[in-house]
Amino acid sequence: NPVSSSRFAGFRWSPWPYAWAACCWWELIAVLRYRAFDYAGGDLALFSQIAWNLAHGSGWNSLLQGHFLGNHANVLAYAVAPLYALAPSPITLLTLKVFCCTFAAIPLHRLAARWLEPPLALCVVIAFLLYAPLTHAIVFDFDYEALSPIVLLWLAVAFLEDRRRLFVGMAVVCALLKENMPMLVVMAGLLGLLTRPQKRWWTGVTACAALWCVVAVFVVIPAARGGHPSLYWEHYAYLGASPGAIGAHLVAHPADAASRMWRPEAG
């Protein structure tokens, strides 16, 4: 039967079974590690307390001794809070991370299938699911950047297929993950500006993403820190006492700045 044969071929090269298998495997590992107290870092505890407090109407975090946005602009935490309220456990965050990492295979397969035959497109998916940096992101405690694989790959799909609503949705989610993530949207906007005819629209995308990055770093985070500058300037204090001084040092002494990046004080 040609129809049933084609359906079988479609299932044979489908990324869904592999995404589900990877998701179930890593979810099992996450639960077992949590029950064995195997998460040694502090990030899972930090973001779990943030989610718990937000679910109860507060942005205060005792581990940071201040509002959580004073650490990083993880604004998406507000959207995660209702989910945490329904399932108030660190496993909720781990499950969300596992899902976003493993089911990123679906948009990746969609991208690969544009240029490759079905078997090779599936090989790309399998290689992605075994990719060491991805598995490291999965086994690490928790960070909102770990939710980005599925967001960025759907952003790429939206860009290539010229689906503006999907692009805007993924761009907004990306920007709310962390204060540095909008720069990826800026890069997509610049690429659109260079390669697409809708110059005004792509200029707007680039400008909005860049503006939010500036607002997050120079307004949101300092406001949550009670007027103190963002932690970035403390991290890079060895290059200068202010953003302007750091920029001037990078321009005037690029070799010195490059060499300092490898020293212990650079973190």
Side-chain angles (χ1 to χ4, degrees), residues 108-174:
L108 176 64
H109 181 266
R110 187 160 175 162
L111 292 171
R114 293 173 62 93
W115 300 286
L116 301 173
E117 294 297 321
L120 290 178
L122 185 58
C123 287
V124 171
V125 167
I126 295 173
F128 170 77
L129 292 173
L130 297 174
Y131 187 44
L134 180 74
T135 58
H136 176 75
I138 294 174
V139 300
F140 185 72
D141 289 18
F142 181 85
D143 274 313
Y144 275 95
E145 301 99 299
L147 308 184
S148 65
I150 194 169
V151 177
L152 294 177
L153 286 167
W154 275 119
L155 185 76
V157 168
F159 180 89
L160 291 174
E161 297 181 359
D162 199 23
R163 297 172 60 183
R164 291 194 184 182
R165 290 184 180 180
L166 179 61
F167 183 91
V168 170
M170 292 299 101
V172 169
V173 174
C174 180

Short mmCIF file of all heavy atoms in Angstrom, two decimals, residues 108-174:
data_model
loop_
_atom_site.label_atom_id
_atom_site.label_comp_id
_atom_site.label_asym_id
_atom_site.label_seq_id
_atom_site.Cartn_x
_atom_site.Cartn_y
_atom_site.Cartn_z
N LEU A 108 14.88 22.11 15.17
CA LEU A 108 16.16 21.81 14.53
C LEU A 108 15.94 20.88 13.34
O LEU A 108 16.53 21.07 12.27
CB LEU A 108 17.12 21.17 15.52
CG LEU A 108 18.45 20.73 14.94
CD1 LEU A 108 19.24 21.92 14.42
CD2 LEU A 108 19.26 19.95 15.97
N HIS A 109 15.10 19.86 13.51
CA HIS A 109 14.81 18.95 12.40
C HIS A 109 14.14 19.70 11.26
O HIS A 109 14.42 19.44 10.08
CB HIS A 109 13.91 17.83 12.89
CG HIS A 109 13.58 16.83 11.83
ND1 HIS A 109 12.44 16.90 11.06
CD2 HIS A 109 14.27 15.72 11.40
CE1 HIS A 109 12.42 15.90 10.20
NE2 HIS A 109 13.51 15.17 10.39
N ARG A 110 13.28 20.63 11.59
CA ARG A 110 12.60 21.42 10.56
C ARG A 110 13.62 22.23 9.76
O ARG A 110 13.49 22.39 8.54
CB ARG A 110 11.57 22.33 11.22
CG ARG A 110 10.69 23.07 10.25
CD ARG A 110 9.45 23.53 10.94
NE ARG A 110 8.59 24.35 10.13
CZ ARG A 110 7.30 24.57 10.40
NH1 ARG A 110 6.75 24.01 11.46
NH2 ARG A 110 6.57 25.33 9.62
N LEU A 111 14.62 22.75 10.45
CA LEU A 111 15.67 23.49 9.76
C LEU A 111 16.53 22.56 8.90
O LEU A 111 16.83 22.86 7.74
CB LEU A 111 16.56 24.21 10.78
CG LEU A 111 15.93 25.36 11.55
CD1 LEU A 111 16.86 25.81 12.67
CD2 LEU A 111 15.62 26.52 10.62
N ALA A 112 16.93 21.44 9.49
CA ALA A 112 17.80 20.50 8.77
C ALA A 112 17.11 19.94 7.53
O ALA A 112 17.74 19.72 6.49
CB ALA A 112 18.24 19.37 9.69
N ALA A 113 15.79 19.72 7.62
CA ALA A 113 15.05 19.13 6.50
C ALA A 113 14.94 20.08 5.31
O ALA A 113 14.59 19.64 4.21
CB ALA A 113 13.65 18.73 6.97
N ARG A 114 15.27 21.35 5.52
CA ARG A 114 15.25 22.30 4.40
C ARG A 114 16.37 22.00 3.40
O ARG A 114 16.25 22.30 2.22
CB ARG A 114 15.40 23.73 4.91
CG ARG A 114 14.23 24.23 5.73
CD ARG A 114 14.55 25.60 6.34
NE ARG A 114 14.79 26.59 5.32
CZ ARG A 114 13.87 27.41 4.82
NH1 ARG A 114 12.62 27.31 5.25
NH2 ARG A 114 14.18 28.30 3.90
N TRP A 115 17.45 21.44 3.89
CA TRP A 115 18.63 21.25 3.03
C TRP A 115 19.09 19.79 2.93
O TRP A 115 19.89 19.46 2.06
CB TRP A 115 19.80 22.09 3.57
CG TRP A 115 19.51 23.55 3.59
CD1 TRP A 115 19.46 24.40 2.53
CD2 TRP A 115 19.20 24.35 4.74
NE1 TRP A 115 19.15 25.68 2.93
CE2 TRP A 115 18.98 25.68 4.30
CE3 TRP A 115 19.09 24.08 6.10
CZ2 TRP A 115 18.67 26.72 5.16
CZ3 TRP A 115 18.78 25.12 6.97
CH2 TRP A 115 18.57 26.42 6.50
N LEU A 116 18.62 18.92 3.81
CA LEU A 116 19.12 17.56 3.86
C LEU A 116 18.01 16.55 3.61
O LEU A 116 16.84 16.83 3.86
CB LEU A 116 19.76 17.28 5.23
CG LEU A 116 20.93 18.16 5.64
CD1 LEU A 116 21.33 17.86 7.08
CD2 LEU A 116 22.11 17.99 4.71
N GLU A 117 18.42 15.39 3.15
CA GLU A 117 17.47 14.28 3.01
C GLU A 117 17.04 13.80 4.40
O GLU A 117 17.76 14.01 5.39
CB GLU A 117 18.13 13.14 2.24
CG GLU A 117 18.45 13.48 0.79
CD GLU A 117 17.19 13.77 -0.03
OE1 GLU A 117 16.17 13.07 0.19
OE2 GLU A 117 17.23 14.69 -0.85
N PRO A 118 15.87 13.16 4.49
CA PRO A 118 15.35 12.74 5.81
C PRO A 118 16.33 11.98 6.69
O PRO A 118 16.43 12.29 7.89
CB PRO A 118 14.12 11.89 5.45
CG PRO A 118 13.65 12.47 4.16
CD PRO A 118 14.89 12.89 3.42
N PRO A 119 17.08 10.99 6.17
CA PRO A 119 18.02 10.29 7.07
C PRO A 119 19.09 11.21 7.65
O PRO A 119 19.44 11.11 8.83
CB PRO A 119 18.65 9.22 6.17
CG PRO A 119 17.66 9.02 5.06
CD PRO A 119 17.06 10.37 4.83
N LEU A 120 19.61 12.12 6.82
CA LEU A 120 20.65 13.03 7.30
C LEU A 120 20.08 14.06 8.27
O LEU A 120 20.73 14.44 9.25
CB LEU A 120 21.31 13.74 6.12
CG LEU A 120 22.20 12.85 5.23
CD1 LEU A 120 22.76 13.66 4.07
CD2 LEU A 120 23.33 12.24 6.04
N ALA A 121 18.86 14.52 8.01
CA ALA A 121 18.22 15.46 8.93
C ALA A 121 18.02 14.82 10.30
O ALA A 121 18.22 15.45 11.34
CB ALA A 121 16.88 15.93 8.37
N LEU A 122 17.67 13.53 10.29
CA LEU A 122 17.50 12.83 11.56
C LEU A 122 18.85 12.64 12.26
O LEU A 122 18.93 12.71 13.49
CB LEU A 122 16.85 11.47 11.32
CG LEU A 122 16.49 10.66 12.57
CD1 LEU A 122 15.55 11.44 13.47
CD2 LEU A 122 15.88 9.32 12.19
N CYS A 123 19.90 12.41 11.48
CA CYS A 123 21.25 12.30 12.07
C CYS A 123 21.64 13.59 12.78
O CYS A 123 22.29 13.57 13.84
CB CYS A 123 22.27 11.95 10.99
SG CYS A 123 22.17 10.26 10.40
N VAL A 124 21.26 14.74 12.21
CA VAL A 124 21.54 16.03 12.84
C VAL A 124 20.83 16.10 14.19
O VAL A 124 21.40 16.56 15.19
CB VAL A 124 21.09 17.18 11.92
CG1 VAL A 124 21.16 18.51 12.66
CG2 VAL A 124 21.96 17.24 10.68
N VAL A 125 19.60 15.64 14.24
CA VAL A 125 18.82 15.64 15.50
C VAL A 125 19.49 14.77 16.55
O VAL A 125 19.66 15.17 17.71
CB VAL A 125 17.39 15.17 15.24
CG1 VAL A 125 16.67 14.87 16.55
CG2 VAL A 125 16.62 16.22 14.45
N ILE A 126 19.89 13.56 16.15
CA ILE A 126 20.52 12.65 17.10
C ILE A 126 21.84 13.22 17.60
O ILE A 126 22.15 13.16 18.81
CB ILE A 126 20.74 11.27 16.44
CG1 ILE A 126 19.38 10.63 16.12
CG2 ILE A 126 21.55 10.36 17.35
CD1 ILE A 126 19.47 9.36 15.32
N ALA A 127 22.62 13.81 16.68
CA ALA A 127 23.89 14.43 17.09
C ALA A 127 23.64 15.58 18.06
O ALA A 127 24.39 15.76 19.03
CB ALA A 127 24.64 14.93 15.85
N PHE A 128 22.58 16.34 17.83
CA PHE A 128 22.23 17.45 18.72
C PHE A 128 21.89 16.94 20.12
O PHE A 128 22.33 17.49 21.13
CB PHE A 128 21.07 18.23 18.13
CG PHE A 128 20.46 19.24 19.07
CD1 PHE A 128 21.09 20.44 19.31
CD2 PHE A 128 19.25 18.98 19.70
CE1 PHE A 128 20.53 21.38 20.17
CE2 PHE A 128 18.69 19.91 20.56
CZ PHE A 128 19.33 21.11 20.79
N LEU A 129 21.10 15.87 20.19
CA LEU A 129 20.68 15.33 21.48
C LEU A 129 21.84 14.71 22.25
O LEU A 129 21.76 14.56 23.47
CB LEU A 129 19.57 14.30 21.28
CG LEU A 129 18.24 14.86 20.77
CD1 LEU A 129 17.27 13.74 20.45
CD2 LEU A 129 17.62 15.82 21.80
N LEU A 130 22.91 14.37 21.53
CA LEU A 130 24.10 13.82 22.18
C LEU A 130 25.20 14.87 22.36
O LEU A 130 26.27 14.55 22.88
CB LEU A 130 24.65 12.64 21.36
CG LEU A 130 23.73 11.43 21.21
CD1 LEU A 130 24.36 10.41 20.27
CD2 LEU A 130 23.44 10.80 22.56
N TYR A 131 24.93 16.09 21.93
CA TYR A 131 25.91 17.17 21.95
C TYR A 131 26.31 17.50 23.39
O TYR A 131 25.46 17.77 24.23
CB TYR A 131 25.30 18.38 21.25
CG TYR A 131 26.23 19.55 21.01
CD1 TYR A 131 27.52 19.36 20.53
CD2 TYR A 131 25.78 20.84 21.24
CE1 TYR A 131 28.34 20.45 20.29
CE2 TYR A 131 26.60 21.93 21.00
CZ TYR A 131 27.88 21.73 20.52
OH TYR A 131 28.69 22.81 20.29
N ALA A 132 27.60 17.46 23.68
CA ALA A 132 28.08 17.61 25.06
C ALA A 132 27.63 18.91 25.71
O ALA A 132 27.19 18.90 26.87
CB ALA A 132 29.59 17.46 25.10
N PRO A 133 27.73 20.08 25.05
CA PRO A 133 27.26 21.31 25.70
C PRO A 133 25.77 21.27 26.04
O PRO A 133 25.34 21.83 27.06
CB PRO A 133 27.56 22.40 24.66
CG PRO A 133 28.73 21.87 23.91
CD PRO A 133 28.46 20.40 23.80
N LEU A 134 24.97 20.60 25.20
CA LEU A 134 23.54 20.49 25.51
C LEU A 134 23.32 19.60 26.73
O LEU A 134 22.56 19.96 27.63
CB LEU A 134 22.78 19.91 24.31
CG LEU A 134 21.27 19.76 24.55
CD1 LEU A 134 20.59 21.12 24.50
CD2 LEU A 134 20.65 18.81 23.54
N THR A 135 23.99 18.46 26.78
CA THR A 135 23.83 17.58 27.93
C THR A 135 24.36 18.23 29.20
O THR A 135 23.82 18.02 30.29
CB THR A 135 24.54 16.24 27.69
OG1 THR A 135 25.93 16.45 27.43
CG2 THR A 135 23.92 15.52 26.50
N HIS A 136 25.41 19.05 29.06
CA HIS A 136 25.90 19.77 30.24
C HIS A 136 24.85 20.76 30.75
O HIS A 136 24.63 20.89 31.95
CB HIS A 136 27.19 20.51 29.92
CG HIS A 136 27.70 21.35 31.05
ND1 HIS A 136 28.31 20.81 32.17
CD2 HIS A 136 27.66 22.70 31.27
CE1 HIS A 136 28.64 21.78 33.01
NE2 HIS A 136 28.25 22.93 32.48
N ALA A 137 24.19 21.45 29.82
CA ALA A 137 23.13 22.38 30.22
C ALA A 137 21.99 21.65 30.91
O ALA A 137 21.38 22.17 31.85
CB ALA A 137 22.60 23.13 29.00
N ILE A 138 21.73 20.42 30.48
CA ILE A 138 20.65 19.64 31.09
C ILE A 138 21.02 19.19 32.49
O ILE A 138 20.20 19.25 33.42
CB ILE A 138 20.29 18.43 30.20
CG1 ILE A 138 19.70 18.90 28.87
CG2 ILE A 138 19.31 17.52 30.91
CD1 ILE A 138 19.46 17.78 27.87
N VAL A 139 22.25 18.73 32.68
CA VAL A 139 22.63 18.18 33.99
C VAL A 139 23.02 19.27 34.99
O VAL A 139 23.05 19.03 36.19
CB VAL A 139 23.79 17.17 33.86
CG1 VAL A 139 23.41 16.02 32.97
CG2 VAL A 139 25.07 17.83 33.34
N PHE A 140 23.31 20.49 34.50
CA PHE A 140 23.60 21.59 35.42
C PHE A 140 22.34 21.96 36.19
O PHE A 140 21.22 21.69 35.75
CB PHE A 140 24.14 22.80 34.66
CG PHE A 140 24.57 23.93 35.56
CD1 PHE A 140 25.72 23.81 36.31
CD2 PHE A 140 23.81 25.08 35.67
CE1 PHE A 140 26.12 24.84 37.16
CE2 PHE A 140 24.21 26.11 36.50
CZ PHE A 140 25.36 25.99 37.26
N ASP A 141 22.52 22.61 37.33
CA ASP A 141 21.39 22.91 38.23
C ASP A 141 20.19 23.50 37.48
O ASP A 141 19.25 22.81 37.14
CB ASP A 141 21.84 23.89 39.31
CG ASP A 141 22.78 23.26 40.32
OD1 ASP A 141 23.34 22.20 40.01
OD2 ASP A 141 22.94 23.82 41.40
N PHE A 142 20.21 24.80 37.28
CA PHE A 142 19.16 25.47 36.52
C PHE A 142 19.60 26.90 36.26
O PHE A 142 20.13 27.57 37.14
CB PHE A 142 17.82 25.49 37.27
CG PHE A 142 16.72 26.18 36.49
CD1 PHE A 142 16.00 25.47 35.56
CD2 PHE A 142 16.43 27.53 36.68
CE1 PHE A 142 15.00 26.09 34.83
CE2 PHE A 142 15.44 28.16 35.96
CZ PHE A 142 14.71 27.42 35.03
N ASP A 143 19.37 27.34 35.05
CA ASP A 143 19.51 28.75 34.67
C ASP A 143 18.51 29.02 33.57
O ASP A 143 18.18 28.12 32.78
CB ASP A 143 20.93 29.05 34.17
CG ASP A 143 21.89 29.38 35.30
OD1 ASP A 143 21.52 30.18 36.16
OD2 ASP A 143 23.00 28.81 35.32
N TYR A 144 18.05 30.24 33.49
CA TYR A 144 17.05 30.53 32.47
C TYR A 144 17.63 30.46 31.06
O TYR A 144 16.88 30.24 30.10
CB TYR A 144 16.40 31.90 32.74
CG TYR A 144 15.26 31.78 33.70
CD1 TYR A 144 15.44 31.99 35.06
CD2 TYR A 144 13.99 31.40 33.27
CE1 TYR A 144 14.40 31.85 35.96
CE2 TYR A 144 12.94 31.25 34.15
CZ TYR A 144 13.15 31.47 35.49
OH TYR A 144 12.11 31.31 36.38
N GLU A 145 18.94 30.62 30.92
CA GLU A 145 19.55 30.46 29.60
C GLU A 145 19.37 29.04 29.08
O GLU A 145 19.37 28.80 27.87
CB GLU A 145 21.04 30.77 29.62
CG GLU A 145 21.38 32.18 30.07
CD GLU A 145 21.78 32.21 31.53
OE1 GLU A 145 20.94 31.84 32.39
OE2 GLU A 145 22.92 32.59 31.82
N ALA A 146 19.21 28.06 29.99
CA ALA A 146 19.03 26.67 29.58
C ALA A 146 17.70 26.44 28.88
O ALA A 146 17.50 25.39 28.27
CB ALA A 146 19.17 25.75 30.78
N LEU A 147 16.79 27.40 28.97
CA LEU A 147 15.51 27.30 28.26
C LEU A 147 15.62 27.81 26.84
O LEU A 147 14.66 27.70 26.06
CB LEU A 147 14.43 28.09 29.00
CG LEU A 147 14.24 27.82 30.50
CD1 LEU A 147 13.06 28.63 31.03
CD2 LEU A 147 14.03 26.34 30.77
N SER A 148 16.76 28.35 26.47
CA SER A 148 16.90 29.03 25.19
C SER A 148 16.99 28.14 23.96
O SER A 148 16.65 28.62 22.87
CB SER A 148 18.12 29.96 25.23
OG SER A 148 19.32 29.21 25.35
N PRO A 149 17.46 26.88 24.02
CA PRO A 149 17.58 26.12 22.77
C PRO A 149 16.31 26.06 21.94
O PRO A 149 16.32 26.33 20.73
CB PRO A 149 18.01 24.72 23.26
CG PRO A 149 18.77 24.99 24.50
CD PRO A 149 18.05 26.13 25.15
N ILE A 150 15.18 25.73 22.56
CA ILE A 150 13.93 25.63 21.80
C ILE A 150 13.48 27.01 21.30
O ILE A 150 12.94 27.14 20.19
CB ILE A 150 12.83 24.96 22.65
CG1 ILE A 150 11.67 24.54 21.76
CG2 ILE A 150 12.38 25.86 23.81
CD1 ILE A 150 10.66 23.64 22.47
N VAL A 151 13.74 28.04 22.08
CA VAL A 151 13.35 29.40 21.70
C VAL A 151 14.16 29.88 20.50
O VAL A 151 13.62 30.40 19.51
CB VAL A 151 13.53 30.37 22.89
CG1 VAL A 151 13.19 31.80 22.47
CG2 VAL A 151 12.67 29.94 24.07
N LEU A 152 15.47 29.71 20.57
CA LEU A 152 16.34 30.20 19.50
C LEU A 152 16.13 29.43 18.20
O LEU A 152 16.20 30.02 17.10
CB LEU A 152 17.80 30.10 19.94
CG LEU A 152 18.20 31.01 21.10
CD1 LEU A 152 19.64 30.77 21.51
CD2 LEU A 152 18.00 32.48 20.74
N LEU A 153 15.89 28.13 18.29
CA LEU A 153 15.69 27.36 17.07
C LEU A 153 14.35 27.67 16.42
O LEU A 153 14.25 27.73 15.18
CB LEU A 153 15.82 25.86 17.37
CG LEU A 153 17.28 25.43 17.61
CD1 LEU A 153 17.34 24.04 18.20
CD2 LEU A 153 18.07 25.49 16.31
N TRP A 154 13.30 27.90 17.22
CA TRP A 154 12.05 28.34 16.62
C TRP A 154 12.18 29.76 16.06
O TRP A 154 11.53 30.12 15.07
CB TRP A 154 10.90 28.27 17.63
CG TRP A 154 10.26 26.92 17.72
CD1 TRP A 154 10.20 26.12 18.81
CD2 TRP A 154 9.60 26.22 16.67
NE1 TRP A 154 9.55 24.96 18.51
CE2 TRP A 154 9.15 24.98 17.21
CE3 TRP A 154 9.33 26.50 15.33
CZ2 TRP A 154 8.46 24.04 16.44
CZ3 TRP A 154 8.64 25.56 14.57
CH2 TRP A 154 8.21 24.36 15.12
N LEU A 155 13.03 30.57 16.70
CA LEU A 155 13.31 31.91 16.16
C LEU A 155 13.95 31.79 14.78
O LEU A 155 13.60 32.54 13.86
CB LEU A 155 14.24 32.66 17.12
CG LEU A 155 14.53 34.12 16.78
CD1 LEU A 155 13.34 35.00 17.14
CD2 LEU A 155 15.76 34.61 17.54
N ALA A 156 14.88 30.85 14.63
CA ALA A 156 15.53 30.63 13.33
C ALA A 156 14.52 30.13 12.29
O ALA A 156 14.55 30.56 11.13
CB ALA A 156 16.68 29.64 13.48
N VAL A 157 13.62 29.23 12.71
CA VAL A 157 12.59 28.75 11.80
C VAL A 157 11.71 29.91 11.34
O VAL A 157 11.42 30.06 10.14
CB VAL A 157 11.73 27.66 12.48
CG1 VAL A 157 10.48 27.36 11.65
CG2 VAL A 157 12.55 26.39 12.69
N ALA A 158 11.30 30.74 12.27
CA ALA A 158 10.45 31.88 11.94
C ALA A 158 11.16 32.84 10.99
O ALA A 158 10.54 33.39 10.07
CB ALA A 158 10.04 32.61 13.22
N PHE A 159 12.45 33.02 11.20
CA PHE A 159 13.23 33.92 10.34
C PHE A 159 13.27 33.37 8.91
O PHE A 159 13.00 34.11 7.95
CB PHE A 159 14.64 34.08 10.89
CG PHE A 159 15.51 34.99 10.06
CD1 PHE A 159 15.54 36.34 10.33
CD2 PHE A 159 16.30 34.49 9.04
CE1 PHE A 159 16.34 37.20 9.56
CE2 PHE A 159 17.10 35.32 8.27
CZ PHE A 159 17.12 36.69 8.54
N LEU A 160 13.60 32.11 8.77
CA LEU A 160 13.75 31.52 7.44
C LEU A 160 12.42 31.38 6.72
O LEU A 160 12.36 31.49 5.49
CB LEU A 160 14.43 30.16 7.55
CG LEU A 160 15.90 30.19 7.96
CD1 LEU A 160 16.43 28.78 8.19
CD2 LEU A 160 16.75 30.90 6.91
N GLU A 161 11.35 31.13 7.46
CA GLU A 161 10.03 30.97 6.85
C GLU A 161 9.24 32.27 6.79
O GLU A 161 8.08 32.27 6.34
CB GLU A 161 9.24 29.90 7.61
CG GLU A 161 9.88 28.52 7.55
CD GLU A 161 9.09 27.46 8.29
OE1 GLU A 161 8.02 27.80 8.87
OE2 GLU A 161 9.51 26.29 8.29
N ASP A 162 9.85 33.35 7.24
CA ASP A 162 9.24 34.68 7.23
C ASP A 162 7.88 34.68 7.94
O ASP A 162 6.90 35.25 7.47
CB ASP A 162 9.07 35.17 5.78
CG ASP A 162 8.89 36.68 5.73
OD1 ASP A 162 9.31 37.36 6.69
OD2 ASP A 162 8.31 37.18 4.75
N ARG A 163 7.86 34.06 9.13
CA ARG A 163 6.66 34.02 9.96
C ARG A 163 6.83 35.06 11.07
O ARG A 163 7.42 34.79 12.11
CB ARG A 163 6.45 32.62 10.52
CG ARG A 163 6.22 31.58 9.45
CD ARG A 163 6.22 30.17 10.01
NE ARG A 163 5.18 29.97 11.03
CZ ARG A 163 5.02 28.84 11.70
NH1 ARG A 163 5.84 27.82 11.48
NH2 ARG A 163 4.07 28.74 12.61
N ARG A 164 6.29 36.22 10.84
CA ARG A 164 6.58 37.36 11.71
C ARG A 164 5.99 37.19 13.12
O ARG A 164 6.63 37.55 14.11
CB ARG A 164 6.05 38.65 11.08
CG ARG A 164 6.81 39.07 9.84
CD ARG A 164 6.47 40.49 9.47
NE ARG A 164 7.12 40.88 8.23
CZ ARG A 164 7.03 42.10 7.70
NH1 ARG A 164 6.32 43.03 8.33
NH2 ARG A 164 7.64 42.39 6.57
N ARG A 165 4.80 36.66 13.22
CA ARG A 165 4.19 36.51 14.55
C ARG A 165 5.00 35.54 15.39
O ARG A 165 5.26 35.79 16.58
CB ARG A 165 2.75 36.03 14.41
CG ARG A 165 1.80 37.08 13.84
CD ARG A 165 0.37 36.56 13.83
NE ARG A 165 -0.54 37.57 13.29
CZ ARG A 165 -1.86 37.40 13.15
NH1 ARG A 165 -2.41 36.23 13.53
NH2 ARG A 165 -2.62 38.35 12.65
N LEU A 166 5.41 34.44 14.80
CA LEU A 166 6.23 33.48 15.52
C LEU A 166 7.57 34.10 15.88
O LEU A 166 8.08 33.91 17.00
CB LEU A 166 6.45 32.22 14.67
CG LEU A 166 7.33 31.13 15.29
CD1 LEU A 166 6.73 30.62 16.60
CD2 LEU A 166 7.54 29.99 14.30
N PHE A 167 8.13 34.87 14.96
CA PHE A 167 9.42 35.52 15.23
C PHE A 167 9.30 36.48 16.40
O PHE A 167 10.15 36.47 17.31
CB PHE A 167 9.91 36.26 13.99
CG PHE A 167 11.27 36.89 14.16
CD1 PHE A 167 12.42 36.19 13.83
CD2 PHE A 167 11.40 38.18 14.66
CE1 PHE A 167 13.67 36.75 14.00
CE2 PHE A 167 12.65 38.75 14.85
CZ PHE A 167 13.78 38.04 14.52
N VAL A 168 8.27 37.31 16.40
CA VAL A 168 8.09 38.28 17.48
C VAL A 168 7.89 37.56 18.80
O VAL A 168 8.46 37.95 19.84
CB VAL A 168 6.91 39.23 17.18
CG1 VAL A 168 6.57 40.07 18.39
CG2 VAL A 168 7.24 40.12 15.99
N GLY A 169 7.07 36.50 18.80
CA GLY A 169 6.83 35.76 20.04
C GLY A 169 8.11 35.16 20.61
O GLY A 169 8.39 35.30 21.80
N MET A 170 8.90 34.52 19.75
CA MET A 170 10.15 33.92 20.21
C MET A 170 11.17 34.99 20.60
O MET A 170 11.94 34.82 21.54
CB MET A 170 10.73 33.02 19.12
CG MET A 170 9.91 31.77 18.83
SD MET A 170 9.74 30.67 20.27
CE MET A 170 8.09 31.08 20.85
N ALA A 171 11.16 36.11 19.89
CA ALA A 171 12.08 37.20 20.22
C ALA A 171 11.77 37.78 21.60
O ALA A 171 12.68 38.09 22.38
CB ALA A 171 12.00 38.30 19.16
N VAL A 172 10.49 37.92 21.91
CA VAL A 172 10.09 38.45 23.23
C VAL A 172 10.51 37.49 24.33
O VAL A 172 11.08 37.89 25.36
CB VAL A 172 8.57 38.71 23.28
CG1 VAL A 172 8.11 39.00 24.70
CG2 VAL A 172 8.21 39.87 22.35
N VAL A 173 10.23 36.20 24.14
CA VAL A 173 10.62 35.21 25.15
C VAL A 173 12.13 35.20 25.33
O VAL A 173 12.64 35.17 26.46
CB VAL A 173 10.13 33.80 24.75
CG1 VAL A 173 10.66 32.75 25.72
CG2 VAL A 173 8.61 33.76 24.72
N CYS A 174 12.86 35.25 24.22
CA CYS A 174 14.32 35.28 24.27
C CYS A 174 14.82 36.48 25.07
O CYS A 174 15.70 36.36 25.92
CB CYS A 174 14.89 35.29 22.86
SG CYS A 174 16.70 35.32 22.76
#
